[in-house]
Amino acid sequence: MAAPSYEALGILNLLFLLIGVLILLAVNTYVVWQWRHPEDRNEWFSAKLIVVLSMLASELVIIGLPLDVTNNQGSRDCSWEGGDYAKCGGLDMRGYWVGVSWLQMACALCLLPGFLFAYEAYDDVDHTTECGSLVKGGLCSVLAILIVFVSVCVPMYLSSEMNAVRRPVLSYSGSLPLKVETYTNTNMSSFAAMGDLDEAVTTSSSEYLFYSVDFLDYATRLFSWLGWFLFVLWGGIGLVSLPVDYVLAYIYRPIPLDARELADLRLSVQRRTAELLDLGRQLQGERAAYKEGPKLGWLARRRHEAADQVRVNKLSQMAMILEGDVEELEICSGNAKDYEPLLYVLYLFMGIVAAIHSLLWFLHIAIYILPREPAHPFLNDYLKQFSTWYPLFGSVACAFFALYLLWCTVHGCLKFGTRCFCIKLHPMKRHGTYLNAMLFNTALVGFCALPVAEFSSHAFADYAAYADASTRFSTLRRLHFFRFWFAPLKKTSGDVMTFAFVALFCVSVLWFFFLPHDVPASAQKLRESLASSVPAKREKEVEMKPMLKAKDLKKRNETRRAGKV
């Protein structure tokens, strides 16, 4: 039976891709539907549609690498014009990467920020702002972002120095006989089997080839470069925090308590709730006093607003931790709805799987990426062995490794905000996620999807040796301005971004080893930071401390009954 033609394979693969897109759209819609907050149930359908579309754009970027490898069938001829396309998949991966990259940029720079600013303006005024004002505010925010991005990108692109790729090449010179035999009946490129022609080479030298890229590629390079900073910072933290949080969720799972233990637990929650309400009133009083006070200069105003945002973030963190402890109290008292005991066993399983993947990524970076000469292909061999019996499994595994990095990035962002208070918290919770949290986290994924795909193509260079993605990302890495961040350092193959990623991973290991739990912000320090407070009668101030876990409380009460305390 004759093998299908190149064009037939292209149509077949395109059909499979369209089916995959429909499946991803269905999954994304289900996730948004299940995670939405009841208050947003029947509102902002257009924003939810943008979330679904943006999630799809990120997923298309992530699956682009395994799709690229499958399309080129591991053949060098598929990655250059004029090659033998007989065994290629037929998809135009160059067009695919340009299309999904610009779709990702449109979602992350325009659509998601516009809806995010509009939604938070709508929320800040207690749902009373007119639709026209919201649209105008969102459009102005998006326009400001685009003006900044374009004003930076266009001059860099037009600069002959900035838009210059410096690629190292080997130059050979020599004499050849008049009659040259070619090799066309081989399974490799005709350039890979020159036979006796190699003997005609007399000299060789290392040189550099300089050329430029078009605006479509340069803009996506600048966009992904911005995302690299977010990926390095929060991905390095999340690679540690994700498995730690799942394992701790199982270790400190709620357990049944007796009446006295429940009373102590309930009293602790009531005290912390009263403290939180008091801090909220003080914050409102400080804001009111600031509005009625004298006008400040621009710099003083910015400092005050930054300090106010930090106080709000601390208050949000305290409320988020308190909310989780209240849910734990309901479970311990038997009043929780839809409580699933096996859910914590699932957390343990997910924590173990996440820990294995984090360890594999760290070992792969240390063994394959950082050394000048890789000690072992490691995960590349794992992915390549699937091609000998079922290539689809290799594609799925490659996509899962990349998706895990995105998952770690989102979790690392939440963990960073929980402990550092310099960014606003946007927690994701099933049946309890506000739309602004969905928009923010989707935008974060959008910014980091291209860096993750680039990092994966670099990490799996052997597996994706003949993919268009490898050529594309290796070319963009060599642009003049970005060369500092992605050029290999001396005596290593790692670059600045990779070393920063590893450094943050190591710091996070120490951080979560000594401080594994999220501790509420100090209520006393927050109170002292307020410029003024609400003049109200106060009772004895109680420092806000983390609620005792159920196991610790039970152990303390048993010790008391035994007369040891």
Side-chain angles (χ1 to χ4, degrees):
M1 182 178 179
S5 64
Y6 168 73
E7 291 79 7
L9 283 174
I11 296 175
L12 184 62
N13 287 337
L14 182 60
L15 179 62
F16 285 145
L17 179 61
L18 292 176
I19 294 174
V21 167
L22 293 178
I23 294 174
L24 290 174
L25 283 174
V27 173
N28 296 342
T29 304
Y30 174 79
V31 170
V32 172
W33 181 263
Q34 287 294 317
W35 259 255
R36 76 196 191 286
H37 197 279
E39 294 182 9
D40 295 330
R41 183 183 300 272
N42 298 317
E43 299 178 347
W44 294 86
F45 290 105
S46 56
K48 295 172 185 174
L49 180 63
I50 295 302
V51 170
V52 172
L53 177 63
S54 302
M55 292 171 64
L56 175 65
S58 302
E59 290 158 351
L60 290 177
V61 170
I62 295 302
I63 68 174
L65 181 61
L67 177 65
D68 201 343
V69 174
T70 304
N71 184 70
N72 286 349
Q73 298 291 321
S75 174
R76 178 167 24 190
D77 287 286
C78 302
S79 59
W80 67 285
E81 296 182 4
D84 184 7
Y85 294 166
K87 293 186 177 181
C88 303
L91 292 178
D92 179 13
M93 295 308 300
R94 154 73 179 167
Y96 176 90
W97 281 112
V98 171
V100 297
S101 298
W102 274 82
L103 177 61
Q104 189 73 87
M105 284 179 56
C107 293
L109 289 178
C110 301
L111 300 177
L112 291 171
F115 277 100
L116 178 60
F117 293 140
Y119 179 85
E120 293 194 340
Y122 172 73
D123 182 65
D124 287 343
V125 293
D126 197 20
H127 311 308
T128 57
T129 305
E130 296 180 357
C131 180
S133 300
L134 294 176
V135 173
K136 182 179 179 180
L139 289 177
C140 290
S141 303
V142 171
L143 185 61
I145 294 174
L146 288 180
I147 289 175
V148 173
F149 184 80
V150 172
S151 62
V152 173
C153 183
V154 172
M156 292 177 65
Y157 169 73
L158 296 177
S159 171
S160 58
E161 183 180 0
M162 291 293 186
N163 187 12
V165 178
R166 189 182 71 168
R167 179 178 289 274
V169 294
L170 290 176
S171 175
Y172 296 93
S173 61
S175 58
L176 295 177
L178 295 177
K179 183 178 180 181
V180 178
E181 294 183 0
T182 58
Y183 299 82
T184 55
N185 296 324
T186 59
N187 294 327
M188 62 187 76
S189 169
S190 57
F191 293 101
M194 296 182 65
D196 295 336
L197 297 181
D198 292 337
E199 299 177 359
V201 176
T202 57
T203 60
S204 64
S205 61
S206 298
E207 299 178 357
Y208 288 99
L209 179 64
F210 292 90
Y211 57 95
S212 60
V213 299
D214 58 27
F215 182 76
L216 297 178
D217 292 329
Y218 199 93
T220 56
R221 170 74 277 183
L222 179 60
F223 170 73
S224 64
W225 175 72
L226 297 174
W228 261 100
F229 292 95
L230 305 180
F231 168 61
V232 167
L233 174 60
W234 292 329
I237 296 174
L239 213 59
V240 180
S241 65
L242 183 63
V244 168
D245 272 11
Y246 276 117
V247 173
L248 291 180
Y250 173 79
I251 295 176
Y252 295 99
R253 63 192 182 277
I255 59 174
L257 302 175
D258 57 31
R260 181 177 178 179
E261 294 165 343
L262 282 174
D264 291 343
L265 206 59
R266 189 172 288 108
L267 181 61
S268 173
V269 171
Q270 289 173 353
R271 288 178 177 175
R272 293 172 59 192
T273 304
E275 183 75 21
L276 201 61
L277 292 173
D278 182 56
L279 288 171
R281 287 192 294 268
Q282 292 181 50
L283 181 61
Q284 289 180 344
E286 192 275 337
R287 286 184 168 182
Y290 170 73
K291 289 181 179 179
E292 296 174 358
K295 298 295 182 180
L296 301 178
W298 182 86
L299 184 59
R301 230 176 20 250
R302 296 283 81 80
R303 289 176 178 174
H304 181 273
E305 291 174 359
D308 180 76
Q309 187 59 54
V310 170
R311 289 192 287 267
V312 171
N313 293 341
K314 289 183 177 181
L315 205 62
S316 300
Q317 184 252 23
M318 296 160 73
M320 184 186 71
I321 295 178
L322 179 60
E323 182 181 354
D325 291 339
V326 169
E327 292 179 358
E328 183 176 332
L329 173 62
E330 292 178 351
I331 294 174
C332 294
S333 60
N335 298 325
K337 298 179 180 179
D338 302 326
Y339 170 60
E340 294 291 343
L342 294 179
L343 182 63
Y344 293 92
V345 180
L346 178 62
Y347 287 162
L348 177 62
F349 173 75
M350 293 174 65
I352 294 173
V353 172
I356 292 174
H357 279 78
S358 295
L359 181 61
L360 288 175
W361 266 118
F362 177 76
L363 292 176
H364 186 71
I365 294 172
I367 294 173
Y368 181 79
I369 299 180
L370 295 183
R372 173 67 68 180
E373 296 294 334
H376 191 273
F378 201 49
L379 292 180
N380 285 282
D381 281 356
Y382 169 72
L383 297 176
K384 288 166 68 176
Q385 58 91 20
F386 286 111
S387 61
T388 60
W389 57 287
Y390 202 66
L392 179 61
F393 285 170
S395 301
V396 172
C398 179
F400 186 81
F401 275 113
L403 284 172
Y404 178 73
L405 290 179
L406 273 182
W407 188 11
C408 290
T409 303
V410 175
H411 191 272
C413 176
L414 176 62
K415 190 60 62 177
F416 181 82
T418 303
R419 300 195 177 194
C420 295
F421 312 116
C422 56
I423 60 172
K424 190 175 180 180
L425 290 176
H426 294 90
M428 298 283 290
K429 180 182 175 183
R430 189 178 183 186
H431 302 309
T433 305
Y434 284 100
L435 185 57
N436 61 335
M438 284 190 183
L439 291 166
F440 176 85
N441 288 293
T442 308
L444 172 62
V445 170
F447 269 98
C448 297
L450 281 172
V452 167
E454 181 180 346
F455 181 77
S456 300
S457 69
H458 184 51
F460 304 139
D462 289 354
Y463 171 70
Y466 302 124
D468 286 86
S470 297
T471 305
R472 174 183 177 81
F473 290 131
S474 64
T475 298
L476 297 178
R477 277 171 168 255
R478 291 181 170 88
L479 282 165
H480 179 78
F481 175 77
F482 307 103
R483 197 181 307 134
F484 168 79
W485 307 94
F486 302 104
L489 301 179
K490 292 181 179 180
K491 298 182 180 180
T492 69
S493 182
D495 50 58
V496 171
M497 291 295 190
T498 305
F499 274 105
F501 184 83
V502 173
L504 281 166
F505 174 85
C506 296
V507 171
S508 300
V509 170
L510 297 176
W511 188 14
F512 287 98
F513 179 79
F514 291 104
L515 298 172
H517 299 285
D518 293 333
V519 180
S522 171
Q524 184 64 32
K525 291 182 179 180
L526 179 57
R527 185 180 295 108
E528 292 174 356
S529 70
L530 295 171
S532 62
S533 60
V534 177
K537 184 179 179 180
R538 298 181 185 173
E539 298 180 357
K540 183 180 179 180
E541 295 177 351
V542 180
E543 173 66 20
M544 191 162 186
K545 298 180 180 179
M547 187 180 73
L548 290 174
K549 294 294 181 180
K551 283 186 175 180
D552 300 332
L553 186 61
K554 188 172 184 179
K555 184 178 180 180
R556 189 193 68 179
N557 291 335
E558 288 175 354
T559 348
R560 284 178 176 175
R561 286 194 291 268
K564 295 181 181 179
V565 176

